[in-house]
Amino acid sequence: MKVGRRTIELSKTDKVLFPGDGVTKGDLVEYYEAIGPWMVPYLKQRPLSLERYPDGIDGQQLFNQNAPQYFPDWLETADVDRVNGSGHVRHAVVRDTASLVYLANQACVTPHAWLSRADRVRNPDQLIFDLDPPDGFESARRAAFDLRELLDELGLPTLVKTTGGKGLHIHVPLDRTADFDTARTFAREVAGVLTARYPKRYTIEQRKNARRGRLYLDIMRNAYGQTAVPPYAVRARPGAPVATPLDWSELDDVHPDQHTLRTVLDRLDGTGDPWPRLRGRSLTKPWQRLRTINQ
């Protein structure tokens, strides 16, 4: 396949990766080629971990952090320190559509992206609140609106996307002045305030047996070395659902697995990407407002 300036030799394109849906590796490759113009801006310079299924999603999962040595020289990589500080990891990095296509040909169904970029890897350019409901999508929808209201009070813009799973991600763009520890502490305090407002709805308790049916406000992705599913990534689930950016006005009607590998391109052709390109924000003033609310 010719993709930009690169020619990629494809293999086993008729291999079925999603047995219940008939989605082949060739379909996955074609999807990532077509979605590249929309998806690549969300991935540039980000270290990736690769969720691969050479024998299909019912087979063994391979989760590669280190880019294999056989990857071509033109596919960008980033060497970053291990979380424990011992040595480093050579992560793949997507810089163009050809990179996405190459990874799809390696049966990478889902690339998982860092919340920071390789040039300042310890300073995230986004916060993520992971809303994974215990009792149906409606509670995640309600949590998204409640969280947006609080973040609006703090002067922080928000973006929302389906994850391709049961829940939602709320993104807050940052200006990379805060490190991961600072960003995570801020996110934890935000979650604490929302829990105090609605103690019967939400919890920050990590132990499942202590949540008592409440939605867990998960801020754990906001840490060095953690990843999140990026916009337009396919998930290794029946139906081949796609993590899909939404306009806030869509949230009342959307279903968690509504957008798939077979439908999301038609959506983009019709309406385009609903996420605006927002300027990253400092946490200094929002934190001051948050502490006023906490008093």
Side-chain angles (χ1 to χ4, degrees):
M1 175 182 282
K2 182 76 171 175
V3 186
R5 296 181 295 109
R6 307 295 180 189
T7 299
I8 300 167
E9 184 177 348
L10 305 181
S11 63
K12 299 181 180 178
T13 54
D14 59 349
K15 177 72 177 179
V16 176
L17 297 185
F18 292 76
D21 306 284
V23 175
T24 66
K25 190 166 79 166
D27 295 328
L28 186 73
V29 166
E30 289 179 4
Y31 169 78
Y32 277 121
E33 181 196 20
I35 204 69
W38 287 281
M39 187 174 180
V40 167
Y42 294 114
L43 294 179
K44 276 189 173 179
Q45 292 191 298
R46 296 189 189 281
L48 301 177
S49 295
L50 311 178
E51 184 181 347
R52 298 171 55 223
Y53 294 88
D55 296 316
I57 65 170
D58 292 341
Q60 182 183 9
Q61 179 203 70
L62 303 178
F63 198 81
N64 295 134
Q65 294 192 56
N66 265 308
Q69 292 297 321
Y70 63 79
F71 275 17
D73 291 341
W74 59 261
L75 198 145
E76 189 174 333
T77 59
D79 288 340
V80 299
D81 292 336
R82 292 186 181 276
V83 173
N84 62 12
S86 60
H88 63 269
V89 180
R90 177 177 170 257
H91 288 272
V93 176
V94 163
R95 64 180 301 173
D96 51 24
T97 298
S99 306
L100 269 182
V101 169
Y102 181 86
L103 296 180
N105 189 54
Q106 299 298 311
C108 176
V109 173
T110 312
H112 295 258
W114 282 43
L115 277 63
S116 58
R117 299 183 186 270
D119 60 334
R120 292 173 66 182
V121 75
R122 296 188 179 275
N123 294 73
D125 64 356
Q126 58 188 305
L127 279 177
I128 291 183
F129 294 87
D130 187 357
L131 309 178
D132 191 5
D135 56 357
F137 189 65
E138 186 56 40
S139 61
R141 196 191 327 264
R142 180 175 61 186
F145 283 123
D146 288 342
L147 185 57
R148 182 195 187 193
E149 181 180 11
L150 174 55
L151 292 167
D152 279 348
E153 293 175 37
L154 302 179
L156 289 172
T158 51
L159 302 166
V160 60
K161 79 171 191 286
T162 64
T163 64
K166 297 186 299 180
L168 294 165
H169 282 171
I170 307 300
H171 291 241
V172 178
L174 302 179
D175 66 357
R176 305 205 292 177
T177 55
D179 61 17
F180 270 109
D181 288 342
T182 301
R184 190 178 195 177
T185 300
F186 175 81
R188 183 179 291 112
E189 290 196 17
V190 169
V193 168
L194 198 63
T195 298
R197 283 186 178 180
Y198 305 104
K200 294 183 179 180
R201 295 183 188 177
Y202 309 123
T203 180
I204 54 175
E205 179 57 65
Q206 293 186 44
R207 294 173 300 160
K208 289 186 177 181
N209 61 3
R211 296 176 190 171
R212 300 193 300 275
R214 296 169 294 175
L215 185 143
Y216 172 49
L217 299 171
D218 188 353
I219 54 87
M220 302 303 288
R221 298 183 186 279
N222 300 291
Y224 179 81
Q226 296 296 307
T227 62
V229 174
Y232 302 115
V234 180
R235 305 305 308 277
R237 295 186 170 96
V242 169
T244 307
L246 304 173
D247 186 88
W248 278 101
S249 64
E250 299 179 276
L251 188 53
D252 280 325
D253 300 317
V254 75
H255 302 291
D257 55 358
Q258 179 172 335
H259 302 297
T260 73
L261 173 148
R262 289 186 166 131
T263 67
V264 77
L265 287 163
D266 288 340
R267 164 184 166 83
L268 286 166
D269 287 341
T271 63
D273 189 334
W275 276 11
R277 296 295 185 260
L278 297 175
R279 175 178 57 85
R281 305 301 175 92
S282 166
L283 292 177
T284 302
K285 289 184 178 179
W287 213 330
Q288 292 170 353
R289 297 186 185 108
L290 184 65
R291 287 169 174 162
T292 299
I293 292 172
N294 262 330
Q295 289 177 354

